[in-house]
Amino acid sequence: MKVTTIGTGYVGLVTGACLAEMGNHVVGLDVDARKIEVLNSGGLPIHEPGLLELVQRNRAAGRLQFTTDVDAAVAHGTLLFIGVGTPPGEDGSADLQYVLAAARAIGQRMSDYKVIVDKSTVPVGTADQVRAAVAEELARRGVDVPFAVVSNPEFLKEGAAVDDFMRPDRIIVGTDDEQALLLLRALYAPFNRTHDRLMAMDLRSAEFTKYAANAMLATRISFMNELARLAERLGADIEQVRRGIGADPRIGYHFLYPGVGYGGSCFPKDVKALVRTARDAGLELQLLQAVEAVNEKQKHWLVDKVCARLGQDLAGRHFALWGLAFKPNTDDMREAPSLVIVDELLRRGATVCAHDPVAMPEARRLLGERIAYADTPEGALAGADALLVVTEWKAFRSPDFDAIKAALKQPLVFDGRNLYEPALMRQLGLEHHGIGRGGV
Ligand SMILES: NC(=O)c1ccc[n+]([C@@H]2O[C@H](COP(=O)([O-])OP(=O)(O)OC[C@H]3O[C@@H](n4cnc5c(N)ncnc54)[C@H](O)[C@@H]3O)[C@@H](O)[C@H]2O)c1
């Protein structure tokens, strides 16, 4: 099939590359000329495991092209995927300007039947707005071209995006158009070979499903973070509690890790947007407001712990920080807890030297020279008053503890991801402060 992805970010690029891999002819469109230049010169604008090979292979096979040429991109695809950003507006609602600009760009140019697929995370009712924007542009041109609008929210996880797209848990397709559903069933058939994972539903339910999923996941994280605080007060160990409750199949082990708060480009904005959507509909979502408030507080907890140990004034103190990305296997730093932690440390007069396996270029773009960067985890340690572990990269899981002890000014570790066993740390002569690890 002929597919165009509008937006070549995490979602658009992965979607385009995976669809090309199955034999479709894909054009990736972006307004960011720099991104397209990087892609056309054989590189990748983002870090995503397995994506580079996929892009290179399909470009070489002539099934995947990238362009800034809107006319050519709209003309190419029968299926046009909108995968542009939906950042939070000032009031927390999803800012739809990029989605609607994409819709208008389609309406201004299309001359044959198109299926316009909303893959961006968009509030309930957005498909109606997309349909109206396209219809308005067609009317302005005085032409009548058939089209359908479909909601096909994306559930991939950054860091495992290619895998997730290739082996989806479910494919949600919201539409009231039989022909469009048929085309999407055919497009997704190769991803559905063991059993049918495609769930067809109405548009609004499809749009809502994405927010419901992210809100649930964010809730699990805030739930565990709040219980971690209580565990510490009560002298209980949240890690043992986590294992104890995860064994219940109704609860399960996934997404029960306490830490420094959730970040990234999805949970924070999607929780806010759902709260806003509800408010506009006359409903206060008390639970999700609490989820967000707990998360905001959690991002400060590691520095609170530092201050409880070393004093509120951190002037003259120097800290090693391991992990800048909001989670492992990505270079994405949108809403990363590390940004709040760095800000707090600097505001209190401290200096910071950080290491992240892939996010340092992005960190430099955001933080500039406000902190120092080390090429290796060990390189960040020299002369620091303490080590703060912020992202659970595999490379940080089994470090050389003796080297950490030798390099730090004092053997002090603030473990924001509970990577290390308190008893082992004690044995090694390291003072360990984890998240919710009372009594161990
Ligand atoms: N990142 C994720 O893990 C993830 C997962 C599921 C859903 N989503 C959702 O998917 C959407 C995209 O997220 P992302 O992380 O890929 O964003 P992103 O910022 O990485 O990419 C968006 C791209 O769209 C481009 N763009 C903006 N307006 C355009 C236009 N009119 N024409 C062409 N290109 C345009 C931007 O230049 C950018 O490259 C969001 O709604 C997000 O919530 C993201």
Side-chain angles (χ1 to χ4, degrees):
M1 285 191 207
K2 288 187 165 181
V3 174
T4 294
T5 60
I6 304 180
T8 57
Y10 288 87
V11 164
L13 185 55
V14 171
T15 300
C18 292
L19 291 176
E21 178 76 357
M22 297 302 181
N24 299 290
H25 284 262
V26 179
V27 168
L29 169 73
D30 210 291
V31 287
D32 185 340
R34 189 196 56 89
K35 260 186 197 174
I36 296 300
E37 206 178 293
V38 171
L39 287 164
N40 279 335
S41 57
L44 268 196
I46 55 171
H47 173 88
E48 196 54 58
L51 186 57
L52 184 62
E53 299 79 339
L54 204 61
V55 168
Q56 285 177 343
R57 185 164 58 242
N58 285 285
R59 276 187 74 231
R63 286 192 301 266
L64 183 59
Q65 290 168 303
F66 300 103
T67 185
T68 54
D69 182 342
V70 187
D71 292 342
V74 172
H76 170 81
T78 302
L79 293 153
L80 302 168
F81 282 83
I82 301 181
V84 301
T86 46
E90 297 227 318
D91 60 359
S93 64
D95 181 349
L96 290 179
Q97 62 167 310
Y98 306 106
V99 171
L100 295 176
R104 289 193 182 282
I106 297 168
Q108 284 156 7
R109 294 167 175 84
M110 60 187 266
S111 56
D112 56 357
Y113 176 68
K114 302 287 185 196
V115 178
I116 301 164
V117 188
D118 282 342
K119 212 170 214 344
S120 299
T121 303
V122 289
V124 175
T126 301
D128 295 340
Q129 291 190 51
V130 166
R131 188 181 285 131
V134 175
E136 209 178 287
E137 292 303 330
L138 291 175
R140 214 190 296 277
R141 288 166 55 203
V143 294
D144 185 15
V145 187
F147 69 97
V149 177
V150 174
S151 166
N152 172 222
E154 181 50 55
F155 295 93
L156 62 77
K157 300 184 288 294
E158 283 177 23
V162 172
D163 252 19
D164 285 348
F165 197 96
M166 288 296 193
R167 277 180 284 277
D169 303 318
R170 76 296 213 188
I171 300 161
I172 303 279
V173 176
T175 184
D176 47 17
D177 185 299
E178 285 295 317
Q179 174 64 14
L181 181 56
L182 229 100
L183 283 172
L184 278 151
R185 274 198 196 284
L187 183 76
Y188 280 122
F191 303 90
N192 259 324
R193 285 179 63 85
T194 55
H195 63 277
D196 191 4
R197 299 177 180 86
L198 191 143
M199 297 181 199
M201 55 178 80
D202 67 84
L203 275 158
R204 287 182 169 245
S205 304
E207 290 170 333
F208 198 178
T209 300
K210 176 64 190 175
Y211 281 99
N214 277 356
M216 177 65 177
L217 294 171
T219 301
R220 281 171 76 96
I221 296 175
S222 277
F223 173 81
M224 286 307 283
N225 282 337
E226 194 158 55
L227 290 202
R229 283 174 184 263
L230 183 59
E232 235 168 66
R233 293 266 171 99
L234 301 178
D237 175 17
I238 196 68
E239 285 302 319
Q240 296 179 51
V241 174
R242 179 181 65 75
R243 288 197 288 273
I245 61 172
D248 183 333
R250 293 170 303 176
I251 296 173
Y253 288 108
H254 294 294
F255 256 78
L256 283 186
Y257 292 96
V260 291
Y262 61 73
S265 69
C266 292
F267 292 175
K269 82 170 169 57
D270 292 349
V271 169
K272 279 193 187 74
L274 191 55
V275 166
R276 185 68 220 184
T277 297
R279 192 165 291 149
D280 291 344
L283 203 67
E284 286 298 320
L285 293 186
Q286 290 168 323
L287 178 61
L288 289 183
Q289 288 179 47
V291 164
E292 201 191 342
V294 167
N295 194 57
E296 279 313 304
K297 209 161 135 192
Q298 194 70 9
K299 290 194 255 178
H300 295 266
W301 201 24
L302 206 60
V303 179
D304 291 348
K305 282 169 179 283
V306 170
C307 292
R309 175 64 177 77
L310 297 174
Q312 295 295 324
D313 181 8
L314 299 176
R317 300 279 189 184
H318 178 62
F319 295 96
L321 196 136
W322 282 4
L324 291 159
F326 84 94
K327 67 174 179 179
N329 301 323
T330 182
D331 59 347
D332 199 343
M333 287 195 54
R334 288 178 280 188
E335 301 273 338
S338 66
L339 295 171
V340 174
I341 290 169
V342 163
D343 262 356
E344 277 286 302
L345 292 172
L346 298 186
R347 191 175 65 77
R348 291 169 188 278
T351 53
V352 173
C353 182
H355 171 76
D356 188 285
V358 305
M360 288 201 295
E362 182 61 7
R364 261 184 220 279
R365 201 178 63 77
L366 296 171
L367 294 167
E369 303 309 316
R370 293 174 67 208
I371 63 171
Y373 304 89
D375 292 335
T376 60
E378 298 74 28
L381 298 170
D385 287 278
L387 165 64
L388 276 64
V389 181
V390 176
T391 315
E392 65 276 35
W393 284 94
K394 281 206 180 89
F396 302 154
R397 282 174 197 243
S398 293
D400 180 341
F401 290 111
D402 290 332
I404 292 178
K405 200 172 152 188
L408 293 177
K409 231 187 256 170
Q410 47 192 326
L412 193 49
V413 177
F414 293 90
D415 178 1
R417 298 290 181 175
N418 287 349
L419 293 190
Y420 312 131
E421 270 313 308
L424 175 69
M425 299 291 274
R426 235 182 346 261
Q427 228 177 55
L428 295 169
L430 286 151
E431 186 182 322
H432 176 256
H433 296 264
I435 301 289
R437 312 219 61 179
V440 288

